[in-house]
Amino acid sequence: MTKYFLLLLLASASYNSLQGQNYVSIDATDRPEDIVRKAASITPTDRQLNWQKLEVTGFLHFGINTFTGMEWGDGKASPQLFNPTNLDTDQWVRIAKESGINLLILTAKHHDGFCLWPTNTTEYSIKNSPYKAGKGDVLKDLAASCKKYDMKIGVYLSPWDRNASVYGSEAYNEMFRNQLAEVLTNYGRIDEVWFDGANGEGPNGKKQEYDWASYYSLIRKLQPEAVIAVMGPDVRWVGTETGYGRDMEWSVVPANNLEQNNIAAGSQQQMNIKPMGDMREKDLGSRDKIMKAKGLVWYPAETDVSIRPGWFYHAHEDAKVKSPEKLLDIYFNSVGKNGVLLLNIPPNKEGLIHSSDEKSLLGWKALRDSIFSHNLLTAKGVKLVKSPVRKSVKEDKNLIWTTKKEEQELQFEYVFPKIEKFNVLQLGEFIKWGQRVEKFDIEIKKNGAWESIGDATTVGYKRIIVLPTVEAEAVRIRVLESRVKPFIDKIGLYYYKDAQKLAGE
Ligand code: FUL
């Protein structure tokens, strides 16, 4: 075997060995091209991949605040105040399902510490409320409704607890683990655990040293498929609560605390510690950023926003529910920017989703259906005259497009049988094999001449860009820059007749 061949073999072996691994450390000897190859080669864990495919998820902020009108309760409101008159979790899940939401996260405990399930860890819970004479359990009802409607379920458990007397001491870690154990044991399968980083104690407030590692290992033990979000290792907060993600959104980001002992302690050789660093910057994962990293991790973005100004229900916000067009714009800028949307829909004092929210949600779903049901690129008579290499992925029954050689431009050229009008482009990468596209553009042919109408940087799981409304006889979509080689699995071109209604952030 020649030395050259052996080197090639080694290079491809190390490249392949990263498949199924969501972190990699950077060695001092790595050259820039090695770092790029490593970034291209790390992939989501199964739980991260399954979560990403949900695309649209829902948040249910409900609790004692619903009855006091607060956003952040101080933990002193009487449990007697919690008394929904008509609580119907079937209604929540039915509306979510009809809106295309695929997972619902309940605020089982918000910062005030009030628990929506009859916990053994504190008296501050639904069991001391008049609701169902203390026999109610909102998490149980929601879990049953989710099962009925085939909806995934998640729990939000606020680490910051303004009611617990032990908050600020080691005993709180024990209490919090017990709360986790209750919600993760008694309600069937849980698909997401959401830890909030918020804490308003201020400089003179109580300080809690959270034992995150023990929380994570408990979750992995009790619900191994669940992603741990925000203050957790699997899913990162996008960095704003507007619903508008980044133009350049990398799921592969530097993690400078990839300490070998921590990694070894991680389950299944997957990243099991929360990567550190400010995740709110504009650029998290460009070549510039990864060159300075000590390690790289697959850490995708979740974009949370409320359908109303507040997170909890307030009657005075009934006229301020986001319109279907606003929600569509948010969808384009969250799911369409390589994120998962987490849209909050707060039930009211009755324990129901208000009709204004329902109307908006259903209107939003109808808009998405009408736009995306008609892909101009797969319409009758359209010819794909220039096509990248097609590759079939057996285990996924999927067909993807790629290039023959590394670093090559990937190009699609479609010719329409008649002039077509469009203004929305959708692309997607086969992220099971990593995120790679760094730059793409779109050109149209009009009266025989080509002109560029838009470009962008990252694609990731899904990228949607709204273009100027154009009419064209042919269209060209090109991946101009990529890490190693791209794997494209979604391509579509659509027309939205009210694109001028997309007001932006
Ligand atoms: C924030 C919290 O402080 C808000 O009340 C809300 O729960 C939001 C989703 O996260 O950090």
Side-chain angles (χ1 to χ4, degrees), residues 418-477:
K418 60 173 178 39
I419 303 284
E420 285 291 359
K421 186 152 76 172
F422 51 86
N423 51 18
V424 176
L425 169 69
Q426 176 172 289
L427 287 175
E429 286 182 75
F430 187 61
I431 60 162
K432 192 169 181 180
W433 290 354
Q435 184 186 353
R436 292 154 172 244
V437 176
E438 292 174 308
K439 188 171 183 199
F440 66 95
D441 75 353
I442 172 164
E443 296 172 314
I444 54 165
K445 196 176 182 185
K446 239 176 138 176
N447 305 322
W450 286 100
E451 71 176 275
S452 168
I453 56 161
D455 58 47
T457 54
T458 47
V459 172
Y461 174 75
K462 197 174 253 192
R463 183 70 198 254
I464 301 170
I465 55 172
V466 179
L467 305 159
T469 303
V470 289
E471 295 192 5
E473 55 205 63
V475 62
R476 220 185 248 158
I477 296 141

Short mmCIF file of all heavy atoms in Angstrom, two decimals, residues 418-477:
data_model
loop_
_atom_site.label_atom_id
_atom_site.label_comp_id
_atom_site.label_asym_id
_atom_site.label_seq_id
_atom_site.Cartn_x
_atom_site.Cartn_y
_atom_site.Cartn_z
N LYS A 418 -44.16 27.47 -18.62
CA LYS A 418 -44.68 28.82 -18.92
C LYS A 418 -44.08 29.77 -17.87
O LYS A 418 -43.49 29.31 -16.88
CB LYS A 418 -46.21 28.82 -18.85
CG LYS A 418 -46.77 28.42 -17.49
CD LYS A 418 -48.27 28.62 -17.47
CE LYS A 418 -48.96 28.21 -16.18
NZ LYS A 418 -48.40 28.44 -14.89
N ILE A 419 -44.24 31.05 -18.08
CA ILE A 419 -43.70 32.02 -17.10
C ILE A 419 -44.35 31.78 -15.74
O ILE A 419 -45.57 31.65 -15.65
CB ILE A 419 -44.00 33.47 -17.57
CG1 ILE A 419 -43.44 33.72 -18.96
CG2 ILE A 419 -43.53 34.50 -16.56
CD1 ILE A 419 -41.95 33.94 -19.02
N GLU A 420 -43.54 31.72 -14.70
CA GLU A 420 -44.07 31.48 -13.34
C GLU A 420 -43.77 32.66 -12.42
O GLU A 420 -42.74 33.30 -12.54
CB GLU A 420 -43.45 30.20 -12.74
CG GLU A 420 -43.98 28.91 -13.31
CD GLU A 420 -45.42 28.61 -12.93
OE1 GLU A 420 -46.05 29.41 -12.21
OE2 GLU A 420 -45.92 27.57 -13.39
N LYS A 421 -44.69 32.85 -11.48
CA LYS A 421 -44.52 33.92 -10.49
C LYS A 421 -44.21 33.28 -9.13
O LYS A 421 -44.86 32.33 -8.74
CB LYS A 421 -45.85 34.69 -10.41
CG LYS A 421 -45.78 35.90 -9.54
CD LYS A 421 -46.77 36.97 -9.95
CE LYS A 421 -48.19 36.68 -9.57
NZ LYS A 421 -49.10 37.78 -9.79
N PHE A 422 -43.23 33.81 -8.41
CA PHE A 422 -42.90 33.23 -7.09
C PHE A 422 -42.17 34.25 -6.23
O PHE A 422 -41.67 35.27 -6.73
CB PHE A 422 -42.07 31.95 -7.25
CG PHE A 422 -40.87 32.11 -8.14
CD1 PHE A 422 -39.68 32.57 -7.63
CD2 PHE A 422 -40.95 31.80 -9.49
CE1 PHE A 422 -38.59 32.72 -8.45
CE2 PHE A 422 -39.85 31.94 -10.32
CZ PHE A 422 -38.66 32.42 -9.80
N ASN A 423 -42.08 33.94 -4.94
CA ASN A 423 -41.37 34.84 -4.03
C ASN A 423 -40.88 34.15 -2.74
O ASN A 423 -40.44 34.84 -1.81
CB ASN A 423 -42.22 36.07 -3.68
CG ASN A 423 -43.62 35.68 -3.22
OD1 ASN A 423 -43.86 34.54 -2.83
ND2 ASN A 423 -44.55 36.64 -3.24
N VAL A 424 -40.98 32.82 -2.68
CA VAL A 424 -40.50 32.13 -1.48
C VAL A 424 -39.63 30.94 -1.91
O VAL A 424 -40.07 30.10 -2.70
CB VAL A 424 -41.68 31.62 -0.61
CG1 VAL A 424 -41.17 30.81 0.58
CG2 VAL A 424 -42.54 32.77 -0.12
N LEU A 425 -38.42 30.89 -1.40
CA LEU A 425 -37.52 29.76 -1.67
C LEU A 425 -37.29 28.99 -0.39
O LEU A 425 -37.05 29.57 0.67
CB LEU A 425 -36.16 30.27 -2.19
CG LEU A 425 -35.03 29.24 -2.28
CD1 LEU A 425 -35.29 28.20 -3.37
CD2 LEU A 425 -33.68 29.92 -2.54
N GLN A 426 -37.39 27.66 -0.49
CA GLN A 426 -37.10 26.81 0.68
C GLN A 426 -36.02 25.79 0.33
O GLN A 426 -36.09 25.13 -0.70
CB GLN A 426 -38.37 26.08 1.10
CG GLN A 426 -38.14 25.09 2.24
CD GLN A 426 -39.44 24.53 2.77
OE1 GLN A 426 -40.21 25.21 3.42
NE2 GLN A 426 -39.70 23.27 2.49
N LEU A 427 -35.02 25.70 1.19
CA LEU A 427 -33.95 24.71 1.01
C LEU A 427 -33.76 23.96 2.33
O LEU A 427 -34.12 24.46 3.39
CB LEU A 427 -32.62 25.39 0.67
CG LEU A 427 -32.44 25.98 -0.72
CD1 LEU A 427 -31.10 26.70 -0.79
CD2 LEU A 427 -32.50 24.90 -1.79
N GLY A 428 -33.17 22.79 2.25
CA GLY A 428 -32.88 22.07 3.49
C GLY A 428 -31.67 21.17 3.30
O GLY A 428 -31.44 20.66 2.20
N GLU A 429 -30.91 20.99 4.37
CA GLU A 429 -29.77 20.07 4.32
C GLU A 429 -30.13 18.77 5.03
O GLU A 429 -30.91 18.77 5.98
CB GLU A 429 -28.56 20.69 5.01
CG GLU A 429 -27.91 21.79 4.22
CD GLU A 429 -26.68 22.33 4.94
OE1 GLU A 429 -25.64 21.66 4.95
OE2 GLU A 429 -26.77 23.44 5.51
N PHE A 430 -29.51 17.69 4.58
CA PHE A 430 -29.68 16.40 5.24
C PHE A 430 -28.78 16.42 6.47
O PHE A 430 -27.64 15.96 6.44
CB PHE A 430 -29.30 15.29 4.26
CG PHE A 430 -29.58 13.91 4.77
CD1 PHE A 430 -30.87 13.51 5.07
CD2 PHE A 430 -28.55 13.00 4.94
CE1 PHE A 430 -31.13 12.24 5.55
CE2 PHE A 430 -28.80 11.72 5.41
CZ PHE A 430 -30.09 11.34 5.71
N ILE A 431 -29.31 16.99 7.56
CA ILE A 431 -28.44 17.29 8.71
C ILE A 431 -27.99 16.05 9.47
O ILE A 431 -27.11 16.13 10.30
CB ILE A 431 -29.08 18.31 9.68
CG1 ILE A 431 -30.40 17.77 10.24
CG2 ILE A 431 -29.22 19.67 9.03
CD1 ILE A 431 -30.87 18.49 11.48
N LYS A 432 -28.60 14.93 9.16
CA LYS A 432 -28.11 13.69 9.78
C LYS A 432 -26.62 13.52 9.46
O LYS A 432 -25.88 12.87 10.19
CB LYS A 432 -28.93 12.52 9.23
CG LYS A 432 -28.72 11.25 9.99
CD LYS A 432 -29.72 10.20 9.60
CE LYS A 432 -29.46 8.95 10.41
NZ LYS A 432 -30.40 7.90 10.05
N TRP A 433 -26.20 14.11 8.35
CA TRP A 433 -24.80 14.07 7.95
C TRP A 433 -24.09 15.41 8.16
O TRP A 433 -23.03 15.65 7.60
CB TRP A 433 -24.68 13.64 6.47
CG TRP A 433 -25.04 12.20 6.25
CD1 TRP A 433 -25.33 11.27 7.19
CD2 TRP A 433 -25.15 11.53 4.99
NE1 TRP A 433 -25.62 10.06 6.62
CE2 TRP A 433 -25.51 10.19 5.26
CE3 TRP A 433 -24.98 11.93 3.66
CZ2 TRP A 433 -25.71 9.25 4.25
CZ3 TRP A 433 -25.17 11.00 2.66
CH2 TRP A 433 -25.53 9.67 2.95
N GLY A 434 -24.71 16.27 8.93
CA GLY A 434 -24.04 17.51 9.28
C GLY A 434 -24.62 18.74 8.62
O GLY A 434 -25.49 18.66 7.77
N GLN A 435 -24.11 19.90 9.07
CA GLN A 435 -24.54 21.18 8.46
C GLN A 435 -23.34 21.78 7.74
O GLN A 435 -22.28 21.99 8.33
CB GLN A 435 -25.05 22.15 9.52
CG GLN A 435 -25.57 23.43 8.88
CD GLN A 435 -25.96 24.51 9.88
OE1 GLN A 435 -25.98 24.28 11.09
NE2 GLN A 435 -26.27 25.69 9.37
N ARG A 436 -23.50 22.11 6.47
CA ARG A 436 -22.34 22.43 5.65
C ARG A 436 -22.42 23.69 4.78
O ARG A 436 -21.41 24.31 4.50
CB ARG A 436 -22.05 21.23 4.76
CG ARG A 436 -21.56 20.05 5.59
CD ARG A 436 -21.85 18.72 4.97
NE ARG A 436 -21.20 17.67 5.71
CZ ARG A 436 -20.24 16.89 5.23
NH1 ARG A 436 -19.82 17.02 4.00
NH2 ARG A 436 -19.68 15.97 6.00
N VAL A 437 -23.62 24.02 4.33
CA VAL A 437 -23.73 25.13 3.36
C VAL A 437 -23.36 26.46 4.01
O VAL A 437 -23.88 26.81 5.06
CB VAL A 437 -25.16 25.21 2.77
CG1 VAL A 437 -25.29 26.41 1.83
CG2 VAL A 437 -25.49 23.92 2.04
N GLU A 438 -22.49 27.21 3.34
CA GLU A 438 -22.06 28.51 3.85
C GLU A 438 -22.57 29.68 3.02
O GLU A 438 -22.60 30.81 3.48
CB GLU A 438 -20.53 28.58 3.91
CG GLU A 438 -19.94 27.64 4.94
CD GLU A 438 -18.43 27.61 4.89
OE1 GLU A 438 -17.88 27.39 3.78
OE2 GLU A 438 -17.79 27.79 5.92
N LYS A 439 -22.94 29.39 1.77
CA LYS A 439 -23.44 30.47 0.91
C LYS A 439 -24.21 29.88 -0.26
O LYS A 439 -23.75 28.93 -0.87
CB LYS A 439 -22.26 31.30 0.40
CG LYS A 439 -22.71 32.53 -0.33
CD LYS A 439 -21.57 33.47 -0.65
CE LYS A 439 -22.19 34.70 -1.31
NZ LYS A 439 -21.27 35.48 -2.04
N PHE A 440 -25.38 30.46 -0.54
CA PHE A 440 -26.14 30.03 -1.72
C PHE A 440 -26.79 31.26 -2.35
O PHE A 440 -26.90 32.32 -1.73
CB PHE A 440 -27.19 28.98 -1.34
CG PHE A 440 -28.30 29.46 -0.44
CD1 PHE A 440 -29.51 29.90 -0.97
CD2 PHE A 440 -28.15 29.48 0.94
CE1 PHE A 440 -30.54 30.34 -0.15
CE2 PHE A 440 -29.16 29.94 1.77
CZ PHE A 440 -30.37 30.37 1.23
N ASP A 441 -27.21 31.10 -3.59
CA ASP A 441 -27.92 32.20 -4.21
C ASP A 441 -29.00 31.69 -5.16
O ASP A 441 -29.10 30.48 -5.40
CB ASP A 441 -26.97 33.19 -4.90
CG ASP A 441 -26.42 32.67 -6.21
OD1 ASP A 441 -26.66 31.49 -6.55
OD2 ASP A 441 -25.75 33.45 -6.93
N ILE A 442 -29.79 32.60 -5.67
CA ILE A 442 -30.86 32.24 -6.61
C ILE A 442 -30.85 33.26 -7.75
O ILE A 442 -30.75 34.47 -7.52
CB ILE A 442 -32.23 32.12 -5.90
CG1 ILE A 442 -33.34 31.94 -6.94
CG2 ILE A 442 -32.53 33.27 -4.98
CD1 ILE A 442 -34.65 31.45 -6.36
N GLU A 443 -30.94 32.72 -8.96
CA GLU A 443 -30.98 33.58 -10.15
C GLU A 443 -32.20 33.22 -10.97
O GLU A 443 -32.63 32.06 -10.95
CB GLU A 443 -29.75 33.33 -11.02
CG GLU A 443 -28.43 33.68 -10.38
CD GLU A 443 -27.27 33.22 -11.24
OE1 GLU A 443 -27.29 32.07 -11.72
OE2 GLU A 443 -26.35 34.01 -11.45
N ILE A 444 -32.72 34.20 -11.70
CA ILE A 444 -33.86 33.90 -12.58
C ILE A 444 -33.51 34.28 -14.02
O ILE A 444 -32.66 35.13 -14.26
CB ILE A 444 -35.13 34.67 -12.16
CG1 ILE A 444 -34.85 36.19 -12.07
CG2 ILE A 444 -35.70 34.14 -10.86
CD1 ILE A 444 -36.11 37.02 -12.03
N LYS A 445 -34.19 33.61 -14.93
CA LYS A 445 -34.01 33.93 -16.35
C LYS A 445 -35.28 34.60 -16.85
O LYS A 445 -36.38 34.07 -16.68
CB LYS A 445 -33.76 32.65 -17.13
CG LYS A 445 -33.19 32.89 -18.51
CD LYS A 445 -32.90 31.53 -19.13
CE LYS A 445 -32.29 31.65 -20.48
NZ LYS A 445 -32.15 30.31 -21.08
N LYS A 446 -35.06 35.77 -17.41
CA LYS A 446 -36.18 36.59 -17.90
C LYS A 446 -35.79 37.11 -19.27
O LYS A 446 -34.69 37.67 -19.42
CB LYS A 446 -36.34 37.79 -16.95
CG LYS A 446 -37.68 37.88 -16.30
CD LYS A 446 -37.69 39.04 -15.33
CE LYS A 446 -38.98 39.78 -15.45
NZ LYS A 446 -39.05 40.86 -14.45
N ASN A 447 -36.64 36.91 -20.25
CA ASN A 447 -36.32 37.33 -21.62
C ASN A 447 -34.92 36.88 -22.05
O ASN A 447 -34.15 37.64 -22.63
CB ASN A 447 -36.44 38.85 -21.78
CG ASN A 447 -37.80 39.33 -21.35
OD1 ASN A 447 -38.82 38.66 -21.59
ND2 ASN A 447 -37.85 40.46 -20.67
N GLY A 448 -34.58 35.67 -21.65
CA GLY A 448 -33.30 35.09 -22.08
C GLY A 448 -32.09 35.51 -21.26
O GLY A 448 -31.00 34.99 -21.44
N ALA A 449 -32.25 36.45 -20.30
CA ALA A 449 -31.07 36.92 -19.54
C ALA A 449 -31.18 36.51 -18.07
O ALA A 449 -32.27 36.53 -17.48
CB ALA A 449 -30.98 38.43 -19.64
N TRP A 450 -30.04 36.15 -17.48
CA TRP A 450 -30.01 35.74 -16.07
C TRP A 450 -29.76 36.93 -15.17
O TRP A 450 -28.95 37.79 -15.48
CB TRP A 450 -28.90 34.71 -15.85
CG TRP A 450 -29.22 33.35 -16.39
CD1 TRP A 450 -28.78 32.84 -17.58
CD2 TRP A 450 -30.06 32.36 -15.80
NE1 TRP A 450 -29.28 31.58 -17.76
CE2 TRP A 450 -30.08 31.25 -16.67
CE3 TRP A 450 -30.80 32.27 -14.62
CZ2 TRP A 450 -30.80 30.09 -16.42
CZ3 TRP A 450 -31.52 31.12 -14.36
CH2 TRP A 450 -31.52 30.05 -15.25
N GLU A 451 -30.49 36.97 -14.05
CA GLU A 451 -30.19 37.99 -13.03
C GLU A 451 -30.34 37.39 -11.64
O GLU A 451 -31.13 36.47 -11.43
CB GLU A 451 -31.11 39.21 -13.19
CG GLU A 451 -32.55 38.95 -12.80
CD GLU A 451 -33.42 40.20 -12.87
OE1 GLU A 451 -33.45 40.96 -11.87
OE2 GLU A 451 -34.09 40.39 -13.90
N SER A 452 -29.54 37.91 -10.73
CA SER A 452 -29.56 37.38 -9.36
C SER A 452 -30.68 38.09 -8.58
O SER A 452 -30.84 39.30 -8.69
CB SER A 452 -28.21 37.63 -8.71
OG SER A 452 -28.31 37.38 -7.34
N ILE A 453 -31.44 37.31 -7.79
CA ILE A 453 -32.51 37.96 -7.00
C ILE A 453 -32.35 37.74 -5.50
O ILE A 453 -33.17 38.21 -4.71
CB ILE A 453 -33.92 37.52 -7.45
CG1 ILE A 453 -34.08 36.00 -7.37
CG2 ILE A 453 -34.26 38.04 -8.83
CD1 ILE A 453 -35.52 35.56 -7.35
N GLY A 454 -31.33 37.03 -5.09
CA GLY A 454 -31.15 36.89 -3.65
C GLY A 454 -30.03 35.93 -3.29
O GLY A 454 -29.68 35.05 -4.10
N ASP A 455 -29.48 36.12 -2.12
CA ASP A 455 -28.49 35.15 -1.63
C ASP A 455 -28.53 35.13 -0.11
O ASP A 455 -29.12 36.02 0.52
CB ASP A 455 -27.08 35.45 -2.14
CG ASP A 455 -26.61 36.83 -1.74
OD1 ASP A 455 -26.76 37.20 -0.57
OD2 ASP A 455 -26.10 37.57 -2.61
N ALA A 456 -27.95 34.12 0.47
CA ALA A 456 -27.91 34.01 1.93
C ALA A 456 -26.76 33.09 2.30
O ALA A 456 -26.08 32.53 1.42
CB ALA A 456 -29.24 33.48 2.45
N THR A 457 -26.56 32.93 3.60
CA THR A 457 -25.43 32.13 4.08
C THR A 457 -25.87 30.70 4.43
O THR A 457 -25.89 29.84 3.57
CB THR A 457 -24.75 32.82 5.28
OG1 THR A 457 -25.76 33.07 6.28
CG2 THR A 457 -24.07 34.10 4.86
N THR A 458 -26.25 30.48 5.68
CA THR A 458 -26.53 29.11 6.11
C THR A 458 -27.89 28.60 5.64
O THR A 458 -28.83 29.35 5.40
CB THR A 458 -26.51 29.03 7.66
OG1 THR A 458 -27.28 30.11 8.18
CG2 THR A 458 -25.10 29.09 8.20
N VAL A 459 -27.99 27.26 5.57
CA VAL A 459 -29.25 26.58 5.27
C VAL A 459 -29.66 25.78 6.51
O VAL A 459 -30.62 26.08 7.18
CB VAL A 459 -29.12 25.67 4.03
CG1 VAL A 459 -30.38 24.83 3.85
CG2 VAL A 459 -28.88 26.52 2.79
N GLY A 460 -28.90 24.72 6.83
CA GLY A 460 -29.25 23.89 7.98
C GLY A 460 -30.47 23.04 7.68
O GLY A 460 -30.78 22.75 6.53
N TYR A 461 -31.21 22.66 8.72
CA TYR A 461 -32.36 21.77 8.55
C TYR A 461 -33.35 22.36 7.55
O TYR A 461 -33.87 21.67 6.68
CB TYR A 461 -33.03 21.52 9.90
CG TYR A 461 -34.30 20.72 9.74
CD1 TYR A 461 -34.24 19.36 9.48
CD2 TYR A 461 -35.54 21.33 9.81
CE1 TYR A 461 -35.39 18.63 9.29
CE2 TYR A 461 -36.70 20.60 9.62
CZ TYR A 461 -36.62 19.25 9.36
OH TYR A 461 -37.76 18.52 9.17
N LYS A 462 -33.64 23.65 7.70
CA LYS A 462 -34.56 24.29 6.77
C LYS A 462 -34.22 25.77 6.66
O LYS A 462 -33.94 26.42 7.66
CB LYS A 462 -36.00 24.12 7.27
CG LYS A 462 -37.03 24.37 6.20
CD LYS A 462 -38.42 24.06 6.70
CE LYS A 462 -38.96 22.78 6.09
NZ LYS A 462 -40.40 22.60 6.33
N ARG A 463 -34.22 26.25 5.43
CA ARG A 463 -34.02 27.69 5.22
C ARG A 463 -35.10 28.20 4.28
O ARG A 463 -35.34 27.62 3.22
CB ARG A 463 -32.64 27.95 4.61
CG ARG A 463 -32.34 29.43 4.43
CD ARG A 463 -32.13 30.07 5.79
NE ARG A 463 -32.24 31.52 5.75
CZ ARG A 463 -31.20 32.36 5.85
NH1 ARG A 463 -29.99 31.89 5.97
NH2 ARG A 463 -31.39 33.66 5.83
N ILE A 464 -35.78 29.25 4.71
CA ILE A 464 -36.79 29.85 3.86
C ILE A 464 -36.38 31.30 3.64
O ILE A 464 -36.10 32.01 4.61
CB ILE A 464 -38.19 29.80 4.53
CG1 ILE A 464 -38.57 28.33 4.81
CG2 ILE A 464 -39.24 30.46 3.64
CD1 ILE A 464 -39.81 28.17 5.67
N ILE A 465 -36.31 31.71 2.38
CA ILE A 465 -36.08 33.14 2.17
C ILE A 465 -37.21 33.73 1.31
O ILE A 465 -37.68 33.11 0.38
CB ILE A 465 -34.68 33.51 1.61
CG1 ILE A 465 -34.34 32.78 0.33
CG2 ILE A 465 -33.60 33.29 2.64
CD1 ILE A 465 -33.03 33.31 -0.29
N VAL A 466 -37.63 34.91 1.74
CA VAL A 466 -38.67 35.61 0.99
C VAL A 466 -37.96 36.51 -0.01
O VAL A 466 -37.09 37.31 0.34
CB VAL A 466 -39.59 36.42 1.93
CG1 VAL A 466 -40.65 37.16 1.13
CG2 VAL A 466 -40.25 35.49 2.94
N LEU A 467 -38.33 36.34 -1.28
CA LEU A 467 -37.68 37.05 -2.38
C LEU A 467 -38.59 38.17 -2.87
O LEU A 467 -39.79 38.17 -2.55
CB LEU A 467 -37.47 36.06 -3.54
CG LEU A 467 -36.72 34.77 -3.21
CD1 LEU A 467 -37.03 33.70 -4.24
CD2 LEU A 467 -35.23 35.05 -3.15
N PRO A 468 -38.07 39.06 -3.67
CA PRO A 468 -39.01 39.97 -4.33
C PRO A 468 -39.91 39.14 -5.23
O PRO A 468 -39.48 38.10 -5.75
CB PRO A 468 -38.09 40.87 -5.17
CG PRO A 468 -36.75 40.25 -5.15
CD PRO A 468 -36.68 39.28 -4.02
N THR A 469 -41.16 39.56 -5.41
CA THR A 469 -42.05 38.78 -6.30
C THR A 469 -41.57 38.96 -7.74
O THR A 469 -41.44 40.09 -8.22
CB THR A 469 -43.50 39.27 -6.14
OG1 THR A 469 -43.84 39.15 -4.76
CG2 THR A 469 -44.46 38.45 -6.99
N VAL A 470 -41.26 37.82 -8.37
CA VAL A 470 -40.72 37.89 -9.74
C VAL A 470 -41.47 36.93 -10.66
O VAL A 470 -42.13 35.99 -10.20
CB VAL A 470 -39.21 37.51 -9.78
CG1 VAL A 470 -38.36 38.60 -9.15
CG2 VAL A 470 -38.97 36.16 -9.11
N GLU A 471 -41.34 37.18 -11.96
CA GLU A 471 -41.87 36.25 -12.96
C GLU A 471 -40.68 35.81 -13.80
O GLU A 471 -39.87 36.64 -14.20
CB GLU A 471 -42.92 36.95 -13.81
CG GLU A 471 -44.12 37.33 -12.99
CD GLU A 471 -45.30 37.75 -13.84
OE1 GLU A 471 -45.21 37.67 -15.07
OE2 GLU A 471 -46.31 38.16 -13.24
N ALA A 472 -40.60 34.50 -14.06
CA ALA A 472 -39.40 34.01 -14.75
C ALA A 472 -39.70 32.80 -15.60
O ALA A 472 -40.68 32.08 -15.36
CB ALA A 472 -38.33 33.67 -13.73
N GLU A 473 -38.82 32.55 -16.58
CA GLU A 473 -38.98 31.36 -17.42
C GLU A 473 -38.11 30.20 -16.92
O GLU A 473 -38.36 29.05 -17.24
CB GLU A 473 -38.65 31.69 -18.88
CG GLU A 473 -37.27 32.31 -19.07
CD GLU A 473 -37.13 33.17 -20.33
OE1 GLU A 473 -37.83 34.20 -20.43
OE2 GLU A 473 -36.32 32.82 -21.19
N ALA A 474 -37.08 30.55 -16.13
CA ALA A 474 -36.20 29.52 -15.56
C ALA A 474 -35.60 30.05 -14.27
O ALA A 474 -35.57 31.27 -14.04
CB ALA A 474 -35.10 29.15 -16.55
N VAL A 475 -35.12 29.13 -13.46
CA VAL A 475 -34.52 29.54 -12.18
C VAL A 475 -33.29 28.67 -11.90
O VAL A 475 -33.23 27.51 -12.29
CB VAL A 475 -35.57 29.43 -11.04
CG1 VAL A 475 -36.05 28.01 -10.85
CG2 VAL A 475 -35.05 29.97 -9.74
N ARG A 476 -32.31 29.30 -11.27
CA ARG A 476 -31.08 28.59 -10.92
C ARG A 476 -30.83 28.78 -9.43
O ARG A 476 -30.85 29.93 -8.94
CB ARG A 476 -29.93 29.24 -11.68
CG ARG A 476 -28.92 28.29 -12.22
CD ARG A 476 -27.80 29.10 -12.82
NE ARG A 476 -27.71 29.01 -14.26
CZ ARG A 476 -27.10 29.92 -15.02
NH1 ARG A 476 -26.59 31.02 -14.48
NH2 ARG A 476 -27.01 29.76 -16.31
N ILE A 477 -30.61 27.70 -8.73
CA ILE A 477 -30.30 27.78 -7.30
C ILE A 477 -28.94 27.15 -7.11
O ILE A 477 -28.72 26.01 -7.53
CB ILE A 477 -31.39 27.07 -6.47
CG1 ILE A 477 -32.72 27.81 -6.66
CG2 ILE A 477 -31.03 27.02 -4.98
CD1 ILE A 477 -33.90 26.92 -6.76
#
